Amino acid sequence: MDRNGQAEAFDAIGDRYDEAFPHKEGQIAGGRWLAEQLPAGSHVLDLGCGTGLPTARQLVEAGHRVTGIDLSPGMVKLAREHVPEGDFRRLDIADVEKQGLGPFDGVAAFFSLLMLPRVEIPFALRMLHQQMREGAPMALSMVEADVDDFTLPFLGNTIRVSGYLRDELRRIVQDTGFEIVGEDAYAYAPASTDVPPEIQLFLQCRRRP
C-alpha cells in the first residue's frame, strides 16, 4: 500500500500537530499505564511516534529505552529534537519485523493503526504480537468510527484513516493474540482544526502466548 501521501501530509503539518491537539489526557493516561507496567530499562516500541510528545518523553522519563518509528521524516526529526534520549527511525509499520528491532518489552500504538486500511490492521497487530515478549503490555488507541481508508481533510492537508466501532475493535485485538485488561473512552474536539469531534478509544492490552 502506497503511504507516501500520508507521510507528506504529516511532514507539512510538522509541529502544528501538537498545537492542534493540545489536550492529550487519554494518551497521557495510556502512556503512564504502559510505563508503570514495566521495570526500568525496558525496551518499548513507540509505533507512529509523531513528535515524540507526550509518549516517548513519558517513557524515557520513566527510565525506559524507546525505539520510535514514523513514516514522516519531519515527525522523526521533531521526535529526535524533543526526546534526544530515544532512538527514532523513519520506518513503515510493515517493515518493523524486517529491521530486527525487537523483541520489545512493551508497545505504544497511539493512533498509528488508524493510518492503515482495515485489511492491513490485523496483519500489523500480528506482527506486533510476534515482536513482543510473552505477557508484554501494549497501549493502543483508535478513533471510534466505522470507516475504511476514508479521505479526511486535516490541518490543510489530506490524510486517509480507518476506524472501528468498539465491539469490532475489541474482537480484532483479541483475535490477533492480545488480552484486553482495561479500556477508556474520551470525547475529543481538536483545537483550531477542520476535524470534527471524535470518540477516542484507549485499550490496555497484554500479549497472550
Side-chain angles (χ1 to χ4, degrees):
M1 179 68 67
D2 179 13
R3 281 190 272 275
N4 287 332
Q6 304 280 71
E8 290 167 2
F10 280 92
D11 282 344
I13 290 165
D15 54 11
R16 286 187 297 137
Y17 180 86
D18 286 331
E19 294 173 8
F21 292 87
H23 305 293
K24 299 186 176 74
E25 289 88 350
Q27 187 169 341
I28 290 169
R32 185 185 308 119
W33 173 84
L34 180 62
E36 291 172 350
Q37 301 306 302
L38 298 165
S42 293
H43 187 198
V44 184
L45 174 66
D46 188 359
L47 189 75
C49 60
T51 66
L53 302 176
T55 302
R57 168 52 57 199
Q58 277 183 292
L59 293 166
V60 164
E61 289 181 350
H64 302 304
R65 182 164 61 96
V66 176
T67 296
I69 70 160
D70 203 288
L71 194 58
S72 161
M75 289 292 172
V76 170
K77 180 177 182 291
L78 287 168
R80 289 170 176 164
E81 293 172 358
H82 292 152
V83 192
E85 305 93 330
D87 174 17
F88 298 100
R89 308 182 185 206
R90 182 183 181 272
L91 193 64
D92 192 291
I93 291 172
D95 295 326
V96 170
E97 190 171 10
K98 299 176 188 175
Q99 296 298 311
L101 302 178
F104 297 102
D105 302 303
V107 169
F110 291 119
F111 306 111
S112 48
L113 298 181
L114 65 83
M115 306 303 295
L116 304 177
R118 278 185 176 181
V119 69
E120 293 190 21
I121 292 173
F123 290 98
L125 285 166
R126 290 189 187 98
M127 177 278 295
L128 291 173
H129 184 275
Q130 293 172 0
Q131 296 300 302
M132 296 167 68
R133 300 186 192 279
E134 185 174 336
M138 177 176 69
L140 168 72
S141 67
M142 293 279 286
V143 172
E144 184 172 29
D146 187 13
V147 295
D148 181 16
D149 207 29
F150 178 75
T151 300
L152 188 74
F154 187 71
L155 296 178
N157 295 269
T158 300
I159 60 172
R160 302 190 312 276
V161 299
S162 298
Y164 299 102
L165 301 181
R166 64 190 70 191
D167 284 346
E168 188 173 6
L169 177 61
R170 293 185 195 114
R171 179 184 60 77
I172 289 168
V173 170
Q174 291 166 339
D175 287 350
T176 51
F178 295 92
E179 175 190 7
I180 299 172
V181 298
E183 179 180 327
D184 296 296
Y186 293 79
Y188 190 90
S192 304
T193 174
D194 43 12
V195 177
E198 61 194 27
I199 299 296
Q200 298 179 343
L201 303 176
F202 291 84
L203 302 183
Q204 297 94 47
C205 311
R206 286 200 178 277
R207 181 199 187 275
R208 296 199 310 264

